[in-house]
Amino acid sequence: MIPSTSYQDAILRPGSSDIGVLFAARQEDLQKFLYRRLAKPVPSGTNYITQALFEGQEPRAPEDVLVRLPSLRQSKWKVTVLQKWVGRVEEVQADRFSAALVDATNSRNPIEQVEFDMREVSESDRSLLAVGATFYWSIGYRHTPGGQVERISSLRFARLPRLSELDVTRMFAEADQLAAFLERD
Amino acid sequence: MRTPDSEGASIVMIGSFNPSIFQPLWLGTQQLIRPEEARNATITTIQAEITDFSTEWFQLQVLQTRFTIVSADPRQYGPLRDLVIGMFAILPHTPITAIGLNRHFHFRMSSIDVWHKIGHLLAPKEPWHAIMKGPGLRSMTMLGRREEGNKGILEVKVEPSVKTQPGLFVEVNEEFKPPSDGQPEGAQWVPACLAAQWDATITSAETAAEHLLDLVKE
């Protein structure tokens, strides 16, 4: 199992050998997720702990550094989704766009056609708005840390890596091969 | 589905990672997150051995052998998958040996009695009375497969919630390994695995949680 919400039972010692990561053994200790460099052996003939520091001499950096890291954090807001859809843009106009929506809450619901005002789209997502683009639309409630319940509607466009020229060339080659196969008879 | 008190989903990978690559500005430059998200990310640490930062909707923690990305915002489970697909489409040669798809819930139970009842149903106490007093279910994990023939190993964990009292914690984990034929290499199998399995894991977690709650429906 690869659990995500807790680190109990896991002790990880990556191959680099000078790094150790200690995980909390108990649920209540999850905030004490520790990461440290393993101590290097002190050269024989020195007494590291009681070593005198002379004037002008920089204190020797501790070999065993302990850094306290947070465990996986909780969101500041609690969001309750009432319904969510995955949309595909079908037409873009100056101030609005239309899309086909698949209900991601209940896949048995039929595909719907919906028109959105352009102002629903975040400024930095507008460059992604084009025919064929995929987006996620959710409506629900957000509970703020201050106790306020807000009705929310959020729209986020899918961001997938651009295809490289090599990928495009390969896909066209595969399509040509498939077409040739289908047209063989 | 009954509304949980809180929930989250995550993608965890085991492999060999270069943590310092995974920086908010890199994700922004690759257009995998919004430029504002990249600029406003809260960075805990970025070093050769470990990266840990969070944005409004996800937290990313990368060690040299472990990659964990978590979102507690159910609106963002689709974008979370897209983000990981994007990262490993750009880093296809990262050796990844296993991927775990996870979703968890904390449900408030209507009473202590109902809370006990689900523990008694899942783990009857009679066999334990002879060896301890007041036995109670601390944690239970069941192992199986989501569907016959599915390649993922499914684990469902049930525990008393540490966040909600009285509450039930349900975690569903589905673990996948690279295709056994050895192709494709590195992380090239990861995008296809996520594209094929993520939605199903997310949905099956809801089904599992609903089923467990229905056992004590009044």
Side-chain angles (χ1 to χ4, degrees), chain A residues 3-67:
Chain A
S4 63
T5 52
S6 62
Y7 288 110
Q8 54 259 58
D9 307 328
I11 293 176
L12 214 58
R13 296 203 183 283
S16 60
S17 79
D18 62 339
I19 300 299
V21 181
L22 309 180
F23 296 101
R26 296 177 304 166
Q27 186 76 20
E28 55 267 38
D29 289 341
L30 285 180
Q31 293 302 319
K32 297 173 188 166
F33 165 43
L34 304 174
Y35 155 74
R36 69 180 184 124
R37 256 174 221 289
L38 297 182
K40 289 177 183 160
V42 176
S44 58
T46 65
N47 186 340
Y48 174 54
I49 295 169
T50 58
Q51 187 179 37
L53 292 175
F54 296 99
E55 191 177 10
Q57 183 187 4
E58 288 295 318
R60 186 172 161 184
E63 298 277 7
D64 191 358
V65 180
L66 189 66
V67 181

Side-chain angles (χ1 to χ4, degrees), chain A residues 133-171:
Chain A
T134 300
F135 63 92
Y136 304 95
W137 181 40
S138 311
I139 56 170
Y141 294 109
R142 180 167 56 200
H143 305 250
T144 70
Q148 180 67 46
V149 179
E150 299 169 341
R151 182 82 184 234
I152 51 171
S153 162
S154 64
L155 205 145
R156 185 180 189 95
F157 274 79
R159 289 173 175 267
L160 290 166
R162 290 178 184 158
L163 295 172
S164 67
E165 271 187 43
L166 196 65
D167 287 332
V168 174
T169 308
R170 197 191 66 233
M171 284 174 189

Side-chain angles (χ1 to χ4, degrees), chain B residues 3-182:
Chain B
T3 306
D5 254 30
S6 66
E7 67 163 293
S10 63
I11 298 166
V12 181
M13 285 183 266
I14 304 298
S16 183
F17 303 97
N18 181 357
S20 54
I21 286 180
F22 298 89
Q23 304 196 18
L25 286 176
W26 177 71
L27 296 178
T29 304
Q30 299 296 335
Q31 299 186 29
L32 296 176
I33 60 174
R34 292 174 179 154
E36 297 90 332
E37 292 169 336
R39 282 196 300 273
N40 297 318
T42 305
I43 296 173
T44 309
T45 183
I46 294 176
Q47 295 181 41
E49 299 89 359
I50 186 164
T51 282
D52 183 303
F53 71 86
S54 55
T55 67
E56 269 185 8
W57 60 279
F58 70 88
Q59 182 189 352
L60 178 64
Q61 200 172 77
V62 186
L63 307 176
Q64 287 171 324
T65 56
R66 188 182 182 91
F67 170 104
T68 305
I69 189 164
V70 188
S71 179
D73 185 341
R75 293 172 299 171
Q76 309 294 358
Y77 295 162
L80 192 76
R81 172 205 49 206
D82 295 346
L83 176 56
V84 178
I85 287 177
M87 285 186 216
F88 291 96
I90 295 166
L91 302 170
H93 302 299
T94 308
I96 294 176
T97 53
I99 179 167
L101 313 181
N102 307 279
R103 189 174 183 188
H104 72 268
F105 308 92
H106 293 266
F107 291 102
R108 185 172 297 281
M109 306 305 284
S110 56
S111 69
I112 292 276
D113 286 342
V114 174
W115 182 67
H116 280 309
K117 193 174 166 188
I118 201 160
H120 294 330
L121 266 171
L122 295 174
K125 303 302 175 302
E126 286 70 28
W128 299 98
H129 285 309
I131 51 175
M132 62 169 73
K133 305 294 174 202
L137 175 62
R138 173 67 188 83
S139 183
M140 169 184 260
T141 304
M142 294 297 289
L143 179 78
R145 288 188 193 276
R146 180 161 28 99
E147 287 169 346
E148 198 70 46
N150 192 296
K151 292 193 173 138
I153 302 293
L154 181 72
E155 291 200 0
V156 180
K157 181 156 77 174
V158 180
E159 292 180 354
S161 170
V162 293
K163 290 184 68 182
T164 304
Q165 275 88 37
L168 185 72
F169 173 77
V170 179
E171 183 181 46
V172 172
N173 162 270
E174 197 163 14
E175 184 179 315
F176 295 89
K177 295 275 171 64
S180 51
D181 57 11

